[in-house]
Amino acid sequence: MTHFPPPAEELRLLDAELRQLDARRAQLLARRAWLVSTLQPVRPLPPAPPTAPRPETTAPSVQNVLLLLGGILLTVAAMVFTLVSWGHLGITGRSLVLGAVTLAVLGAPVALLRRGLRSTAETVAGLGLALTLLDAYALHETAFPAADGVTYTAVASTGLAALWAAYGTALTALRLPRPAALLAAQLPLPLGVIAADGGPYAVTTAVLLTAALDTVAALRVSVRSVRLVAVVCAFATGGLGALAAGLLSLDAAGPGAALRAAALFSLAAAVALGAARFAPRPGLATGTAVAGGLCLVAGAGGVLRVSLPADWTVPAFLACGIALLAAARGPEPVRRGLVSASGAVQAGAVLWTVPAVGVTLLGPAVWAGRPWSGVPADARTAATLDAFWPPHAVTAPLVLATVAAVLAVRFGEWRPHALPLAWAAVLVLPAALELPYTAGLLVHGLAVPALLGFTARTAPALPRTATALALATSVSLAFLSLAAEPATLVVLPALTAVFAVAARRGRLAPVCAAASVGYATALACAVGASAGWRPEHIALLVLVVPAAAALAAPRVTDPATTLAVEAAGAAAGLLAVGLAVLDLPLLALVLSLCGVIAAGTALRPERRPVGYAAAALFVLASWVRLAGWEVTVPEAYTLPVTVPALLVGVLRRRRDPRASSWTAYGPGLAATLLPSLAAAWGDPEWTRPLLLGAAALVLTLLGARHRLQAPLVLGGSVLVLDALHELAPYLVQVADVLPRWLPPALAGLLLLALGATYEQRLRDVRKVREVLGRMG
């Protein structure tokens, strides 16, 4: 009998069998794949197709280069044939060859254009134009050998220009013939005038007329290639004509020649302004209008130049430039160009005055090396003591004042720049007119408060400009006043008062306050010199200035002004020190007084750090005093530093117990111990080493008692070094007595001992370091 399991059990058995079959099947498939890959040979991949090389140029470029080279070679061959091989043929042969070749070459572009070969047609046409030039040369050599070269060139260029223009008009697809015709048309007028024995004025007129024709062509011709060539030719011939007119104007010796040159300038200006009127671009219109305006000014100024004295040449040109503003009419680009031309003329006039202004402003500085040597003859002599006055600069004030007035009236945005020009006009006026020396001082002196009056204006740049000009004027005035003692004693107090008042009312109070203190310092020096004092005695008078500055600074509400006053006072103190440096007792007194002033300043809460400077000044004063007494003991110099420093350290440690002893006591102790130790090592006596050792022992004990690093380390180190110094002679004697083998033996024993107790020694060193670390 057959046994059938229950359905659930049978289903479980079937699933198990199927899983085993799937696993076996996967194993067999993997084995099959390995066998297939082993039996099949490895086939190499097909090679990649080679990459075509990238062309480095385009086909049209290659074509144009080939055509250009071919045309050049054919032209050269034709020239060689005409110039070298011409003589082998008779007159008939010559004519037939050149005529036939020229006609064939000029006719070839017609067939080439019909086939669409435009580039080739352009090359052949260029060759044909070159052959026409050779035909003209050949014609001159055969038919007209006696003709004048200039006349024949003028006629030939006219014929060639007409021929090329007609050829280009007939074959409009060609771009070369018509620009070439325009280039040939540049020669007929100038060469024709030269052939007719025309003078330089006539030749220049012909050049300018050619420029006018080029301008018309540039504005009216629609062909782009012709228009570009016309623009280049117009600029070239117009510039050449204007340059020739300028040379003729400079060479003009009388009004007649100057008027003829002015007429040429007028023609050039008409051409330029006409081009500006119809120019398609605003930038081009403005540029040509500038050129036209400058030509008008050059022509009119040239006429005035030969009619007026040499001193009035620049004012004449300036007047013409200003008059150009009234002629600024027409479209906006043209008006802008004329205004720019006027501005260029005015700027050139101002640049012409710069040497005169520089001599007037900087020349008086020479009086610093020759103070009170005598009143000069006039203001110009005072400014040019070691310099020379620029020629024809007598009208410099008029030029500067005129330009300043034009800026103030005509140009609103340039109005602030009128102030420096007006200042320069006033500054240079006394020297230009050779006014008396006193008048020059008065003019400059009145200019300073007038300029400082602008510091109250609301314009942002005007106060700074006015203050800078006032300072420059005041410095020049101060140097100028050094020529005479009374002038110095009047100018310096006036400048001090003027800048003091300006500091109280102006916007740039710090600058004015510092200037006032500086001029007060100069006044103190001048008063002392006037009294016949020596420099070291004048230093005491100069100290009044920093003292007054220190008293006035707290009463100033502006922090910047306060700082400026104090800085200027400090500079005056340095000057006093420099004046007294040759007299040690007076130098010590000056340093002490400076220390008093610094200490008084340090009383203010915001100026506490100045106390360090006061202490340094007092120490320096004591050192200088000791040096004056010829004291050579170093402790006399160091103890005045050590005692205050230690007192400051004690106070600091009381306020901040966590402060390091190195910070509190280190500088003070080192200031005396180290110099004394250096002196003790070179002192053969026993007094200083003994006292130094005792002091070092006391410091070491105090450091150990209060657990402070600085006294302990410094005192102990000095004590050890001082003891070594005292024991050195005995150690030397002992070393002489000992046998020479003993030091190496002792060194070996020491090394053995250290090696045996290395770990213990390390622990001892750590303990010492920890003990020092726990100290204050």
Side-chain angles (χ1 to χ4, degrees):
M1 295 184 60
T2 303
H3 173 69
F4 292 98
E9 181 65 18
E10 185 177 3
L11 180 61
R12 185 182 65 78
L13 294 174
L14 291 176
D15 290 338
E17 291 291 339
L18 289 174
R19 282 195 297 272
Q20 292 178 359
L21 291 175
D22 291 337
R24 182 60 178 170
R25 184 174 184 276
Q27 183 181 4
L28 294 174
L29 289 175
R31 181 65 178 175
R32 179 182 183 279
W34 181 82
L35 293 173
V36 170
S37 63
T38 302
L39 294 175
Q40 290 180 350
V42 179
R43 297 179 180 177
L45 295 176
T51 304
R54 184 179 179 181
E56 296 181 357
T57 184
T58 61
S61 300
V62 175
Q63 169 190 322
N64 293 334
V65 171
L66 294 176
L67 292 175
L68 178 62
L69 292 176
I72 293 175
L73 292 176
L74 289 174
T75 304
V76 172
M79 292 176 62
V80 171
F81 172 76
T82 304
L83 299 176
V84 178
S85 302
W86 185 257
H88 298 291
L89 300 175
I91 186 63
T92 305
R94 299 173 187 176
S95 303
L96 290 176
V97 170
L98 269 182
V101 172
T102 302
L103 290 176
V105 172
L106 291 177
V110 178
L112 294 173
L113 289 174
R114 290 176 181 176
R115 294 177 176 270
L117 302 176
R118 180 174 177 178
S119 299
T120 307
E122 290 282 359
T123 304
V124 175
L127 177 61
L129 300 182
L131 289 175
T132 56
L133 288 174
L134 295 176
D135 289 336
Y137 169 76
L139 187 63
H140 176 268
E141 292 297 322
T142 57
F144 307 102
D148 178 63
V150 177
T151 305
Y152 182 79
T153 304
V155 174
S157 60
T158 305
L160 289 175
L163 175 63
W164 292 350
Y167 184 66
T169 304
L171 299 177
T172 56
L174 297 177
R175 291 175 295 181
L176 183 61
R178 282 175 287 185
L182 184 60
L183 287 174
Q186 307 301 309
L187 300 177
L189 277 178
L191 294 180
V193 172
I194 294 174
D197 295 331
Y201 292 94
V203 175
T204 305
T205 303
V207 172
L208 291 174
L209 290 176
T210 304
L213 296 176
D214 293 334
T215 303
V216 173
L219 295 174
R220 297 302 181 188
V221 176
S222 59
V223 181
R224 186 172 182 273
S225 58
V226 178
R227 189 168 64 249
L228 291 177
V229 174
V231 169
V232 174
C233 292
F235 276 108
T237 53
L240 182 62
L243 178 61
L247 295 176
L248 293 173
S249 180
L250 289 176
D251 291 337
L259 284 173
R260 289 193 294 272
L264 295 176
F265 272 122
S266 300
L267 179 58
V271 173
L273 293 176
R277 176 66 177 82
F278 298 100
R281 297 179 181 179
L284 182 61
T286 301
T288 51
V290 169
L294 292 177
C295 288
L296 289 175
V297 172
V303 175
L304 295 176
R305 181 184 66 85
V306 298
S307 305
L308 296 173
D311 293 338
W312 292 90
T313 299
V314 175
F317 279 94
L318 178 61
C320 296
I322 295 173
L324 192 62
L325 293 174
R329 298 289 186 270
E332 177 60 25
V334 176
R335 290 201 305 271
R336 188 164 58 247
L338 292 176
V339 171
S340 299
S342 176
V345 174
Q346 296 179 55
V350 171
L351 288 177
W352 171 77
T353 64
V354 168
V357 176
V359 169
T360 305
L361 184 63
L362 303 177
V366 180
W367 290 105
R370 308 174 189 177
W372 301 349
S373 57
V375 179
D378 51 51
R380 181 180 295 183
T381 305
T384 58
L385 189 63
D386 281 349
F388 67 94
W389 185 252
H392 310 302
V394 67
T395 55
L398 176 62
V399 170
L400 292 166
T402 303
V403 176
V406 171
L407 291 180
V409 175
R410 181 68 170 78
F411 303 98
E413 66 276 10
W414 289 84
R415 191 168 298 165
H417 297 278
L419 179 61
L421 296 178
W423 162 79
V426 173
L427 183 72
V428 79
L429 180 64
L433 300 182
E434 295 183 282
L435 297 179
Y437 170 71
T438 306
L441 292 177
L442 183 62
V443 171
H444 290 184
L446 293 177
V448 175
L451 288 168
L452 292 175
F454 286 94
T455 57
R457 301 299 179 91
T458 57
L462 196 58
R464 291 192 293 270
T465 303
T467 304
L469 296 178
L471 285 173
T473 307
S474 65
V475 171
S476 179
L477 176 60
F479 281 124
L480 196 63
S481 68
L482 293 177
E485 180 179 350
T488 305
L489 298 178
V490 170
V491 168
L492 291 179
L495 291 176
T496 303
V498 166
F499 279 101
V501 173
R504 295 177 60 88
R505 298 181 180 181
R507 294 174 58 183
L508 298 175
V511 178
C512 295
S516 179
V517 175
Y519 286 121
T521 305
L523 176 60
C525 295
V527 170
S530 178
W533 293 0
R534 294 176 57 82
E536 53 269 20
H537 296 106
I538 296 176
L540 298 175
L541 184 60
V542 172
L543 285 179
V544 176
V545 177
L551 293 175
R555 295 173 173 80
V556 180
T557 57
D558 181 25
T561 305
T562 302
L563 181 62
V565 171
E566 291 174 344
L574 289 176
L575 176 61
V577 173
L579 291 173
V581 73
L582 297 179
D583 192 330
L584 293 183
L586 274 176
L587 178 59
L589 177 59
V590 169
L591 289 171
S592 300
L593 293 176
C594 290
V596 171
I597 297 172
T601 303
L603 294 177
R604 293 156 50 195
E606 70 276 9
R607 293 291 186 266
R608 295 297 189 205
V610 183
Y612 296 106
L617 288 170
F618 284 130
V619 171
L620 287 175
S622 64
W623 288 357
V624 172
R625 182 70 270 184
L626 291 172
W629 287 336
E630 299 182 354
V631 176
T632 58
V633 179
E635 289 79 9
Y637 294 89
T638 58
L639 286 176
V641 178
T642 296
V643 174
L646 292 178
L647 291 177
V648 172
V650 170
L651 294 176
R652 181 170 183 179
R653 290 274 295 183
R654 286 183 179 179
R655 289 197 304 266
D656 185 11
R658 293 178 298 179
S660 173
S661 62
W662 289 103
T663 305
Y665 307 125
L669 295 176
T672 294
L673 290 176
L674 298 182
S676 297
L677 178 63
W681 274 67
D683 193 350
E685 301 295 333
W686 59 271
T687 307
R688 177 178 283 110
L690 178 61
L691 294 177
L692 178 62
L697 178 61
V698 172
L699 286 176
T700 304
L701 296 176
L702 288 175
R705 172 68 179 79
H706 297 284
R707 303 180 65 185
L708 298 175
Q709 284 186 6
L712 179 62
V713 174
L714 289 175
S717 301
V718 172
L719 181 60
V720 171
L721 293 174
D722 187 62
L724 288 175
H725 173 263
E726 293 302 311
L727 294 176
Y730 303 102
L731 294 176
V732 172
Q733 294 178 4
V734 172
D736 292 337
V737 174
L738 294 176
R740 295 189 178 184
W741 55 265
L742 186 59
L746 293 176
L749 292 174
L750 178 61
L751 292 176
L752 290 175
L754 289 176
T757 59
Y758 182 74
E759 186 177 0
Q760 182 63 35
R761 298 287 79 78
L762 287 178
R763 286 199 297 266
D764 293 342
V765 170
R766 293 193 194 98
K767 288 181 180 180
V768 172
R769 187 173 58 188
E770 291 173 358
V771 170
L772 290 176
R774 288 194 297 269
M775 290 183 178

